[in-house]
Amino acid sequence: EQLIVGSSRRPAGSWEKDYDAFVLPLLEDKQPCYILYRLDSQNAQGYEWIFIAWSPDHSPVRQKMLYAATRATLKKEFGGGHIKDEVFGTVQDDVSLNGYKKYLISQSSPAPLTAAEEELRQIKINEVQTDVGVDTKHQTLQGVAFPIAKEAIQALEKLKNKKLNYVQLASIKYFNYFLIQIDMKNETIILANTLHTELKDLPKRIPKDAARYHFFLYKHAHEGDYLESIVFIYSMPGYTCSIRERMLYSSCKSPLLEIVERQLWMQIIRKIEIDNGDELTADFLYEEVHPKQHAHKQSFAKPKGPAGKRGIRRLIRGPAETETPSD
């Protein structure tokens, strides 16, 4: 497996006139590719280029992963100093001339906050300062902080360093997923499971009769990049759990996350709550981690009333309802 040159052409006119005619015919519906397009401008190293990463939605996952993994190598071998802009696209409109110009406009405007950044901003605004430690158990305004077992802390550290796949109390191997439960008797957060877990296996790890905390190292490709993101999943299978269990898991969630993020310095890209493991499909998890940016919705406009004069009376009593004066 290697990257090869599929096509090349000499300039016929200006870069803008040639762009769509040169680039768009190279795009296939199910085949990712890289396109290097030369501009007319130059810098100290020579001509400047646009680096286009084409990864259509319907292409095989394996192809997407291979191209995402070789992206940095190709840029390094070509020479990063020659690349003026990078454009990623899944449909032709993304990488057309018009799409490239929209990209330039978006780059010049302030970047909007991502979902994770907005969530962190809200936490900082609303947070209450509490002294929460690994070995403390006390009531706070955000919940109950139970002690965390030593094995759980060690597993969290390994997850932060991306050496995890699934954790069970007796097994400390390499994981990308681990599950934590509450020891109801001793009021301690302990490890529950460490089985190796791929994305397709994740729904099977969700108990149908007990609540759990899950930390999953989500490996995937997004906009041409290979990413490994930690996702927190809180599963609560409704009323099959006792009231006490539901209350404890709900109350311990925030203090647990505070310890994980503030004391262990683990970056959690997304926090999800579910009641059924069947919800955890590949599409669901991807859309949770990378939500689509919706256009700003126009505020509701009150409809105009009927044309003409409406009169001054809203309620009119019929002849039969006329009151008879009493003597």
Side-chain angles (χ1 to χ4, degrees):
E1 294 180 344
Q2 60 180 348
L3 293 173
I4 60 173
V5 177
S7 177
S8 63
R9 294 181 64 176
R10 292 184 176 276
S14 67
W15 75 269
E16 289 186 90
K17 291 182 179 179
D18 291 342
Y19 188 97
D20 282 342
F22 282 23
V23 172
L24 298 186
L26 301 176
L27 307 178
E28 298 182 21
D29 291 339
K30 296 183 179 181
Q31 177 61 50
C33 68
Y34 296 123
I35 300 173
L36 289 158
Y37 186 81
R38 200 197 79 182
L39 300 172
D40 296 335
S41 57
Q42 299 186 39
N43 58 23
Q45 300 185 32
Y47 280 105
E48 294 180 312
W49 296 70
I50 304 172
F51 181 85
I52 302 171
W54 170 249
S55 184
D57 291 331
H58 300 296
S59 57
V61 174
R62 184 172 181 274
Q63 289 284 342
K64 292 181 181 180
M65 299 291 283
L66 283 175
Y67 273 84
T70 56
R71 181 175 180 174
T73 302
L74 176 60
K75 287 165 54 181
K76 181 179 178 181
E77 293 296 327
F78 183 77
H82 294 286
I83 298 174
K84 181 180 180 182
D85 294 306
E86 292 185 46
V87 180
F88 174 82
T90 58
V91 295
Q92 285 195 3
D93 289 343
D94 294 338
V95 297
S96 65
L97 179 61
N98 190 41
Y100 174 58
K101 290 181 177 180
K102 289 180 179 179
Y103 164 81
L104 294 178
I105 294 173
S106 67
Q107 290 297 104
S108 62
S109 60
L113 294 178
T114 64
E117 290 170 338
E118 177 64 25
E119 185 176 9
L120 182 59
R121 186 181 73 86
Q122 291 295 333
I123 291 174
K124 288 181 178 180
I125 291 174
N126 300 322
E127 70 183 359
V128 177
Q129 297 296 330
T130 56
D131 181 18
V132 180
V134 171
D135 299 319
T136 59
K137 180 182 74 175
H138 58 271
Q139 181 73 30
T140 69
L141 291 179
Q142 294 182 342
V144 179
F146 278 0
I148 303 176
K150 181 179 178 181
E151 293 85 355
I153 294 297
Q154 292 172 343
L156 285 164
E157 290 282 3
K158 288 187 177 183
L159 180 68
K160 183 181 70 172
N161 296 324
K162 299 183 179 179
K163 295 180 179 179
L164 301 180
N165 194 307
Y166 188 94
V167 176
Q168 197 168 17
L169 186 58
S171 176
I172 305 295
K173 268 284 186 184
Y174 292 99
F175 333 102
N176 83 343
Y177 172 87
F178 68 87
L179 180 151
I180 291 179
Q181 69 178 27
I182 295 177
D183 184 341
M184 305 288 284
K185 181 178 179 181
N186 299 316
E187 295 186 339
T188 305
I189 296 177
I190 62 174
L191 282 166
N193 215 310
T194 61
L195 295 174
H196 180 86
T197 300
E198 299 296 338
L199 180 57
K200 62 182 178 61
D201 301 322
L202 189 57
K204 304 175 186 177
R205 306 291 184 246
I206 310 300
K208 297 182 181 297
D209 57 354
R212 291 292 186 269
Y213 302 128
H214 314 258
F215 293 82
F216 180 63
L217 187 60
Y218 179 38
K219 299 179 181 180
H220 62 290
H222 175 63
E223 295 187 349
D225 292 323
Y226 175 72
L227 303 176
E228 294 184 351
S229 308
I230 297 175
V231 177
F232 172 77
I233 303 169
Y234 168 43
S235 64
M236 171 61 70
Y239 293 96
T240 58
C241 302
S242 67
I243 295 176
R244 179 169 181 262
E245 183 177 356
R246 295 202 301 270
M247 291 179 64
L248 283 178
Y249 270 89
S250 177
S251 298
C252 290
K253 182 184 66 172
S254 293
L256 170 64
L257 289 173
E258 186 170 355
I259 291 173
V260 170
E261 293 180 310
R262 294 179 179 274
Q263 296 188 19
L264 301 182
W265 297 101
M266 183 188 299
Q267 183 181 10
I268 299 175
I269 199 68
R270 193 68 174 166
K271 303 177 181 72
I272 304 172
E273 295 188 13
I274 63 170
D275 56 17
N276 193 318
D278 296 337
E279 299 176 42
L280 293 176
T281 63
D283 291 340
F284 171 82
L285 200 58
Y286 182 86
E287 291 176 2
E288 284 290 322
V289 175
H290 304 289
K292 295 181 180 179
Q293 300 296 326
H294 298 285
H296 176 71
K297 294 183 179 180
Q298 186 176 3
S299 58
F300 175 77
K302 184 178 179 181
K304 295 181 179 180
K309 295 183 179 181
R310 303 176 64 180
I312 60 173
R313 300 182 65 180
R314 297 296 177 91
L315 296 176
I316 301 176
R317 190 167 10 197
E321 299 176 19
T322 305
E323 296 182 359
T324 302
S326 58
D327 295 334

